[in-house]
Amino acid sequence: MRIAFEAGLPFTGLRGFRPDARLLATPGLPPGVVPLGVRDGRLVLAAPTPDVDLSGLRRPASLVIAPAREVSAALAVPVTDPSAPRRLGDLLVARGAADDAAVAGALAEQARTGGRLGDVLLARGAVGEQELVAALAEQLGLPVVDLDGYEADAHAVAALPEAEQRALRCVPLAADDEALYLAVAEPPDERGMARLRAASGLEPRCFLAPRRAVDALLQRVHSAAWAAEARDGLRRRFPAQSSHRLLTGGQAVALSLLLGAVLAALAVAPRTASVVLLAVAAAITLPALAAAAVVAALGARGPG
């Protein structure tokens, strides 16, 4: 209190205080200070002395003085609380799927780069996908669905446009008169739920599943349509190079006329027509055979 009075700064106690892990990950936060929160757009920090260098912070901050022992105790408190799990990190630690240090590191990276905590933990290899899905399901109160070997109902799939399934990363599993039951990799937000209602005309009911399983089922359900769409796109972009048609319309007509003339000649003068056809075939084949013989001879002689 004397230090606070002499420095003209407020004084506070920190007994039992747990700092927010996201604030602890604030870029440029100096060591040995405890972030208390944000007030009027300023980050409020507690430190045992006023001589704290705040120049590395990218946001405005104000300082209060707190007992050194309580500052150290607050900084030593784990970022998760597995005894009363409510947040995703708490649930993962309570389930033994991750430890406090892994969650703290992921929270720090999340504060720097953004994104979802679960995605950061997965990318860092700190948690398995099945464990993450189970923790998310418990946190959100959603059921989990096993998609291994699952075959989606064609009526349900048709109830939601493929573009919406791909955009929202979901697969319809079943449908009734009121609801559409979907496997999702992550729960849609309110905007996503509104899109599902508008596109299907039904109330969405979501089941959580691992992202890889959802993507694999989407691939199984729509692979034929996606392949056809890709082929059509290539034909539209490169019609001259496309081989989807062996002959153009004009070529097909010319070939039909030629074939008709040959057949008519064989009917009217079979001997003469046969001789002509053999001569034409020889004229086409002999140059190719001669070229092949030359290539073979050169190959037999070897280089040089």
Side-chain angles (χ1 to χ4, degrees), residues 121 131 152 172 207 212 236 250 255 261 268 272 293:
L121 287 166
E131 291 84 358
F207 292 73
R212 292 179 187 176
R236 288 192 297 268
L255 183 60
V268 174
T272 303

Side-chain angles (χ1 to χ4, degrees), residues 185-204:
E186 58 188 44
D189 55 17
E190 285 301 321
R191 185 177 179 182
M193 294 292 282
R195 285 179 62 176
L196 289 170
R197 292 188 191 99
S200 67
L202 299 169
E203 183 62 27

Side-chain angles (χ1 to χ4, degrees), residues 204-286:
R205 297 283 186 265
C206 295
F207 292 73
L208 280 180
R211 182 170 300 172
R212 292 179 187 176
V214 173
D215 290 345
L217 184 55
L218 274 172
Q219 178 71 27
R220 293 200 302 272
V221 170
H222 298 293
S223 57
W226 290 348
E229 183 179 348
R231 289 194 300 269
D232 292 342
L234 287 173
R235 286 200 293 264
R236 288 192 297 268
R237 291 179 61 193
F238 308 106
Q241 291 79 16
S242 174
S243 61
H244 70 288
R245 295 179 61 186
L246 297 178
L247 298 174
T248 64
Q251 289 170 338
V253 170
L255 183 60
S256 298
L257 293 174
L258 178 61
L259 182 58
V262 169
L263 293 175
L266 287 171
V268 174
R271 183 174 296 179
T272 303
S274 298
V275 171
V276 172
L277 288 174
L278 287 173
V280 172
I284 295 174
T285 306
L286 287 176

Side-chain angles (χ1 to χ4, degrees), residues 88-100 102-103 121 125-135:
L88 179 60
D90 299 336
L91 288 164
L92 290 169
V93 173
R95 287 169 164 268
D99 57 29
D100 187 80
V103 174
L121 287 166
V127 67
E129 192 169 27
Q130 294 287 355
E131 291 84 358
L132 177 61
V133 170

